[in-house]
Amino acid sequence: IGHNLDDDDVALLLLGFELLESENRSLGGFGTSGHGSVIWQRTALSCLDRGGVAEWLRQSGAEAPLDRSLPKLSIDAVKAIVGRVDALRGELLPRPELALELRLQFVSPFLVNEPREAEKASGSEDKDKHIQLAPRLGEAGRPVLPGRSLRGALRARAQRIARTLYPDDRTRPKFKGISQAHGHDDELELWEWLFGSPGWKAAVTVTDFLAPPNAPTRDQEFVAIDRFTGGVAGPRKYTIRTVAEPVMKGSLRVDLCRLSTVADGSAALGLLLLTLKDLLEGDITVGYGAAKGFGVCTGTIKKGSLCDPPCAHEPVVFAWDPRSGNYESVPQAVQTWMRNAVSALRKNFKAS
């Protein structure tokens, strides 16, 4: 409900609701992990002017709730407001953003543990079979890779790449943090610009990755070893239930507008691109059991969209499979943008 709004104000408000959905804005916490996404739909527009308020008071004596007494606008009035919304939308510039729809193909068992699922599986099946770990399930019972888990793996890899480029912490380039304006002498690393730090919201958002419904699972038995005797630790034979080589799909978004506000945003983008390259080529494991060979995957960009003026004033759509070994499916504007970002990263560390 809005108060003292004219038609232009209503149009601007409706456009704001549209952008809340179209720009993948979130409500509540853990927005950069894909939580709090909303879908908005306009159902009706109602309005009550001064005369309507007086009539409402006269007829109902203020007993009927005001929000239920609002008369709906006529079709012509609604069309006029929608026309204003369309006009405002046409004046907006595309928001600088890199959006990627990713497909991860696991080549080994995958598991993100959910204790409650393990308890249910142990209680409903063979009593002699103790399932200690079981996959976490998302919507419609589909195995899920939480966005925050993948974001953590990407952050760790980005940190490793940066430390490889410049291993000495004392001389590696650092950049003034956002709280410098408040008198704090803190410095942020490149990976913190991407994945967040106290006082700085992450520029990278990762949604949950979901496997297909009824994805096959596999039970594997293990024996716990006593670290003192080297033998079996009593009756510690247990079972781990994993998802058998699933295909998981999700998305990753980079807010280029936020990174453009910092001096070394291009270098941070170069670091992110190298990190994503490692993910797609199978150099990053996710989930439980990396030491057991679990969580190994390769990936493809099923659909990418880049809007980053002056390189791309309108969203440029592309796709890429790193296993193909060529960039023919990637537009030249996107290739140039990627090379410039990686060059900025290398120049940044060489200058230090």
Side-chain angles (χ1 to χ4, degrees):
I1 296 178
H3 301 279
N4 299 322
L5 302 180
D6 58 23
D7 288 350
D8 290 333
D9 295 331
V10 174
L12 188 60
L13 179 62
L14 294 178
L15 180 60
F17 280 117
E18 287 186 11
L19 296 178
L20 184 67
E21 178 182 353
S22 64
E23 294 190 355
N24 293 279
R25 298 300 179 182
S26 61
L27 301 177
F30 301 106
T32 53
S33 298
H35 294 194
S37 298
V38 297
I39 296 177
W40 176 83
Q41 183 178 10
R42 176 175 57 84
T43 56
L45 290 177
S46 304
C47 178
L48 195 66
D49 55 17
R50 292 180 181 272
V53 173
E55 183 66 18
W56 169 68
L57 291 173
R58 184 182 65 81
Q59 290 185 356
S60 62
E63 295 178 0
L66 179 60
D67 58 345
R68 298 181 183 177
S69 304
L70 297 175
K72 293 184 179 180
L73 293 179
S74 65
I75 296 178
D76 292 338
V78 172
K79 287 183 178 180
I81 293 177
V82 171
R84 287 186 172 90
V85 174
D86 294 337
L88 289 173
R89 190 188 300 111
E91 296 175 4
L92 290 176
L93 295 175
R95 183 177 180 84
E97 181 183 61
L98 173 66
L100 303 175
E101 294 180 9
L102 302 178
R103 177 183 182 272
L104 299 181
Q105 171 65 66
F106 285 81
V107 295
S108 67
F110 166 77
L111 174 65
V112 171
N113 182 45
E114 176 55 67
R116 290 175 295 182
E117 295 296 332
E119 292 176 4
K120 289 192 296 183
S122 296
S124 61
E125 300 179 6
D126 187 355
K127 294 182 179 179
D128 296 330
K129 190 175 187 180
H130 176 56
I131 298 179
Q132 188 176 30
L133 304 176
R136 176 178 296 186
L137 302 180
E139 58 186 57
R142 301 164 66 182
V144 60
L145 168 61
R148 60 191 305 184
S149 296
L150 180 56
R151 193 158 56 91
L154 294 174
R155 180 189 180 104
R157 189 68 177 192
Q159 183 174 353
R160 182 177 181 180
I161 292 173
R163 292 184 185 278
T164 301
L165 289 171
Y166 220 94
D168 192 342
D169 284 347
R170 295 170 298 178
T171 55
R172 186 173 58 255
K174 298 181 181 180
F175 314 99
K176 294 300 180 182
I178 197 68
S179 58
Q180 180 72 15
H182 302 287
H184 301 290
D185 189 20
D186 65 334
E187 294 178 322
L188 298 184
E189 305 276 7
L190 280 180
W191 61 82
E192 292 176 321
W193 288 123
L194 294 169
F195 300 102
S197 179
W200 176 258
K201 179 183 176 182
V204 177
T205 300
V206 183
T207 66
D208 291 347
F209 279 64
L210 295 173
N214 302 318
T217 59
R218 179 185 303 158
D219 291 349
Q220 187 172 353
E221 295 182 342
F222 293 86
V223 176
I225 302 299
D226 191 310
R227 67 179 63 188
F228 296 104
T229 66
V232 178
R236 292 298 296 166
K237 181 180 179 182
Y238 61 95
T239 301
I240 289 179
R241 175 164 295 174
T242 61
V243 187
E245 293 86 37
V247 175
M248 311 192 84
K249 297 179 181 180
S251 62
L252 179 147
R253 292 179 178 272
V254 186
D255 190 344
L256 303 179
C257 189
R258 284 183 62 78
L259 290 180
S260 67
T261 62
V262 300
D264 298 281
S266 295
L269 283 173
L271 179 61
L272 177 63
L273 292 175
L274 294 180
T275 304
L276 290 176
K277 180 175 181 289
D278 283 354
L279 174 67
L280 299 180
E281 293 181 348
D283 294 328
I284 299 178
T285 58
V286 294
Y288 167 85
K292 297 180 175 65
F294 293 179
V296 180
C297 66
T298 60
T300 58
I301 299 176
K302 300 300 293 183
K303 181 181 178 181
S305 175
L306 171 65
C307 181
D308 186 23
C311 173
H313 293 278
E314 296 293 334
V316 180
V317 179
F318 62 95
W320 184 52
D321 184 352
R323 292 172 296 182
S324 65
N326 64 71
Y327 292 84
E328 293 180 359
S329 60
V330 181
Q332 189 63 42
V334 178
Q335 293 186 38
T336 302
W337 180 84
M338 291 180 175
R339 293 192 187 99
N340 290 341
V342 175
S343 297
L345 173 66
R346 291 171 176 168
K347 184 184 300 183
N348 192 297
F349 281 92
K350 287 181 179 179
S352 304

